[in-house]
Amino acid sequence: MAKQAPQSDPAQDAPEVGAPQHAAAGLTAVAKSLQMAGEQMGVRRTLATLRKVNQPDGFDCPGCAWPEPGRTHTAEFCENGAKAVAEEATERRITADFFAAHPVAELAERSGYWLGQQGRLTEPMLLEEGATHYTPVSWERAFAIVADDLKALDTPDGAAFYTSGRTSNEAAFTYQLFARQLGTNNLPDCSNMCHESSGSALTETLGVGKGSVHLKDLYQADLIIVAGQNPGTNHPRMLSALERAKRAGAKVVSVNPLPEAGLERFKNPQNARGLVGVGTKLTDLFLQIRLGGDLALFRALNQLVLAAEGGVDHEFIAEHCLGYEEFAAEAAATERAEVLAATGLPWEQIEELAELVLASEKIIVCWAMGLTQHKHAVPTIREVVNFLLLRGNVGRPGAGVCPVRGHSNVQGDRTMGIFERPSGAFLDALAKEFDFEPPREHGLDSVDTIRAMRDGRVKVFFAMGGNFVAATPDTLATEAAMRGCRLTVHVSTKLNRSHVVTGARALILPTLGRTDRDRTAAGLQFVSVEDSMSMVHSSRGGLKPPSESLLSEVAIVCRLARAALGPHNPVPWEEFAESYDTIRDRISRVVPGFEDFNEKVRRPGGFVLPHGPRDHRTFPTATGRANFTVNPLTAPEVPEGRLLLQTLRSHDQYNTTVYGLDDRYRGITGGRRVVLVNPADAAEFGLVEGAYTDLVSEWQDGVERRAPHFRVVHYPVARGGAAAYYPETNVLVPLDSTADISNTPTSKAVVIRFEPDSGDS
């Protein structure tokens, strides 16, 4: 049997620090995977579950959106994938007795780690206005409560419908359909806080807000640049792809303010060399860039390529691009001193990278939140596109843009219409298929939803998965905004911080997970997901659900829609809840690329969605061409005596879900309240190794945002920067400090000062 959930909350303010590691995975990763799986699931359940992860006849791992290879391994999962599965398939349960024993005020004092360790939710729970405890509620009454509050709103825009990227295509499609039938485009999602900058930049420059490469392109590339990304923790299966690319002759360049073990060396658990040997050295060149210096780096590369004989693919540019002359003039005029100040790199190292670029015909640039969560994030990614367009590295094998996303279906959610600014074409198709006029006015993204709750304009907040309170910036402002709502509703598999920071009334609606069997009166159902590389495939859970009271996300949406929209609404919600094939039939007529959806998704491995720039070198931009852009060279301004903080994950973490209190690769155990500071900066600021300090962020509004009691860790961070884990440091990210255009929080660019430790963690 699995071990019981911890009853006491472990101390998180006394971490121990050792030497960072310089290789990822290996035997230790295998041991850690099996240890956690055994603790949560037990031996028999572990064996039954892990063998189905990321398999054609199994379920998609909820841990990340990295694609499956054409031929899957028997163990097609990584350490953090095993942790994610174990957390969901745990044998631990939360029943009504748990909520009876723990008032909400007490639960609000617990850590997110402790809350998550308590197990799976098993029945709907209601917190009445003025009540101290959640109590059980029937599904019928729960839906009636939500429906009544929605009907009582002055306008449908008084509700917001948030989505986590874990939600399936079928659930996402019905969810957005319900919201738009209700009359609002308030569909914020987790993309708003991570890759919105990527979508904004790529849509403008290439016409498609997604990556342009397949997994096989990585194997054919000459050069792969990994910028602002830590795949060893956040997308570990990417390391296998990089290893294969290396063996095929590719060079790998890492651009990051911190050295990361996974990009240094990979000990692949799938082969003997990785298990017992030294593994594979992945990075050929490491550029330890200053926070926010990536735009300047790619500008310098563009300048060097423009100046090199034969460096520019003029034929490609003449046939497919616009804006080249203006871009080239701006790049040529860039001062070297500006580049050096912004990047903190020696010019010789930038020239070394340029030599690799000029020697490579096929180049891929991969990135994640290290590029997307800055004020100038969109211009930075536009400059990356400029870099690839210069040498024709879009629309041919082995080359292209590769934003690497986190949640396993965050890209699919957007494809299905989870977007506050839907295209007119999508709304037209929706209107034609369902015979109604959807709202055309743009809705609220995640940051604007917080502002609207704060200002009293949004009174009902409904979340399909996720942990909105912990994931969003400016924690105290977000929590105050949430508490100002009339009703907050969370569809969840497990307990989290968002369930204990509530509106006047609150509902927890427990749902099936990826690992759970989904059976309706029509038989066993499956769902579909879209990975980071536009592959759509099926996902089938096989475990007995934790409780007979659970409903699937699709069923929850459909039953709520019927309750809120009434019996005469023409959408066949009951049919949708019974047979997901009926939903896929409708998707096939609304969303381009999903024609014959039911037939294609049943093929082993699924199918790939069309992508004009990749498939045909056609660019559906406003100009009909790929667009070069002119991007002012900017970098964060940091006052003297301050550092620039980036928030990041530990290795025992997936987004806001904390699996444990260790960060093995960075040498940190037993705690999370640490701040990583370059030893030279620490000496300048008088920050002694092992001492404790408060972190205070500075922003133009003058509000003091404080994260107390952080242990100082001397660490090889790029000068001028610091790093600490979220969600503990989300409190420091100002709500109004967002990226231009995308409105993404600037979680990688927080100006902080250090003050004496207040001792209050």
Side-chain angles (χ1 to χ4, degrees), residues 81-281:
K83 293 174 182 175
V85 170
E87 283 261 322
E88 181 179 289
T90 181
E91 290 183 324
R92 300 170 184 173
R93 303 287 181 263
I94 295 178
T95 65
D97 290 342
F98 172 89
F99 288 105
H102 297 285
V104 174
E106 176 201 318
L107 294 175
E109 296 299 315
R110 301 284 195 171
S111 69
Y113 169 65
W114 186 89
L115 294 173
Q117 290 297 304
Q118 300 310 302
R120 287 289 297 273
L121 297 160
T122 56
E123 58 186 310
M125 304 300 296
L126 169 66
L127 181 69
E128 288 281 16
E129 186 169 3
T132 58
H133 291 69
Y134 276 101
T135 56
V137 64
S138 69
W139 280 107
E140 288 72 17
R141 185 171 178 230
F143 292 136
I145 288 170
V146 182
D148 288 346
D149 267 41
L150 291 175
K151 293 173 184 176
L153 293 170
D154 295 332
T155 167
D157 290 328
F161 297 91
Y162 176 75
T163 315
S164 157
R166 191 193 71 88
T167 305
S168 69
N169 287 329
E170 292 75 13
F173 185 80
T174 53
Y175 191 54
Q176 63 81 30
L177 176 61
F178 164 56
R180 292 187 166 110
Q181 286 235 321
L182 190 69
T184 185
N185 281 316
N186 288 349
L187 285 156
D189 74 335
C190 55
S191 268
N192 300 145
M193 293 176 285
C194 54
H195 267 291
E196 198 66 63
S197 298
S198 300
S200 298
L202 295 177
T203 299
E204 178 186 355
T205 56
L206 301 180
V208 179
K210 303 179 181 182
S212 68
V213 301
H214 290 312
L215 197 53
K216 63 183 180 182
D217 289 311
L218 288 169
Y219 310 149
Q220 301 174 46
D222 299 319
L223 176 63
I224 301 169
I225 300 175
V226 182
Q229 183 194 357
N230 175 18
T233 287
N234 301 336
H235 320 90
R237 287 193 302 143
M238 181 180 175
L239 301 182
S240 298
L242 293 176
E243 180 184 51
R244 182 169 171 179
K246 288 281 294 185
R247 290 179 179 173
K251 299 289 186 182
V252 175
V253 174
S254 302
V255 182
N256 207 49
L258 286 77
E260 299 290 6
L263 284 169
E264 290 186 57
R265 187 171 295 275
F266 175 46
K267 295 183 177 181
N268 191 341
Q270 301 284 358
N271 58 53
R273 176 181 172 85
L275 281 175
V276 299
V278 297
T280 302
K281 181 178 182 291

Side-chain angles (χ1 to χ4, degrees), residues 431-450:
K432 180 179 179 182
E433 180 62 28
F434 292 100
D435 193 25
F436 82 109
E437 181 51 42
R440 302 281 170 163
E441 184 177 348
H442 289 171
L444 302 173
D445 64 13
S446 292
V447 168
D448 283 336
T449 293
I450 298 169

Side-chain angles (χ1 to χ4, degrees), residues 22-33:
H22 299 283
L27 276 171
T28 303
V30 175
K32 290 289 186 181
S33 299

